[in-house]
Amino acid sequence: MEVALANLDQLDAIANLFNQYRIFYGQSSNLEAARQFLQERFQNGDSVVFWAHQDGQAAGFTQLYPSFSSVSMKPIWILNDLFVTEAFRKQGVARLLMDAAEGYARETGAVRVALSTQISNLSAQALYESRGYIRDEEFCHYSLGL
């Protein structure tokens, strides 16, 4: 299994993974919109994507978005997306992707990696906690749908 920083050369493979990821979270399939969204992220430098692949077959991806901590005056990376295809689950692919994301965050001088997942996604929570991520009990997180 190889994990690498993705770019426009892998757009089709990543778009397919991203479409599957969105379906996993209850969205309708829309491969063309997924492709367009990712193409814009790559072209604008809005995010960093790592992908896992084996023998030319895409196994999973993670996408990081940049942010900043005003208090520490350092960058933060938001691990917004993590997905492994069903055929590659329970084989350590998510751990490899997280290794790459966390390594990248350290290399870029980030103060932390932040992430969230659905309350019902117990396997993801177990993975994150096994890696030392701590459930935030100090802050209430809110969002406003627009």
Side-chain angles (χ1 to χ4, degrees):
M1 184 66 57
E2 183 179 343
V3 174
L5 191 60
N7 59 44
L8 279 171
D9 293 339
Q10 293 85 38
L11 179 59
D12 289 334
I14 304 299
N16 186 45
L17 290 168
F18 189 68
N19 192 53
Q20 291 178 59
Y21 167 77
R22 292 183 68 254
I23 292 168
F24 178 83
Y25 279 105
Q27 301 300 305
S28 298
S29 177
N30 190 336
L31 185 56
E32 185 51 40
R35 187 180 193 288
Q36 181 65 37
F37 179 83
L38 288 168
Q39 183 173 354
E40 289 172 7
R41 300 297 68 75
F42 284 128
Q43 289 174 336
N44 296 336
D46 294 334
S47 69
V48 173
V49 177
F50 288 94
W51 75 305
H53 56 97
Q54 185 171 32
D55 301 324
Q57 187 176 6
F61 82 101
T62 188
Q63 183 164 214
L64 303 165
Y65 291 103
S67 187
F68 295 91
S69 167
S70 297
V71 174
S72 66
M73 298 182 296
K74 295 195 177 224
I76 296 170
W77 286 100
I78 300 168
L79 194 155
N80 203 72
D81 312 313
L82 177 66
F83 179 77
V84 176
T85 63
E86 209 168 317
F88 287 97
R89 290 184 188 152
K90 307 269 188 226
Q91 297 178 38
V93 177
R95 289 185 182 282
L96 291 172
L97 288 164
M98 291 194 71
D99 286 345
E102 292 162 6
Y104 185 84
R106 284 183 187 93
E107 290 169 15
T108 58
V111 67
R112 72 178 161 271
V113 174
L115 58 81
S116 61
T117 192
Q118 284 183 327
I119 292 170
S120 63
N121 194 343
L122 299 179
S123 61
Q125 292 173 42
L127 170 64
Y128 303 145
E129 290 171 12
S130 76
R131 298 183 66 82
Y133 287 76
I134 299 168
R135 184 184 300 256
D136 191 336
E137 302 293 336
E138 291 184 39
F139 291 91
C140 295
H141 296 273
Y142 298 90
S143 65
L144 174 65
L146 303 174

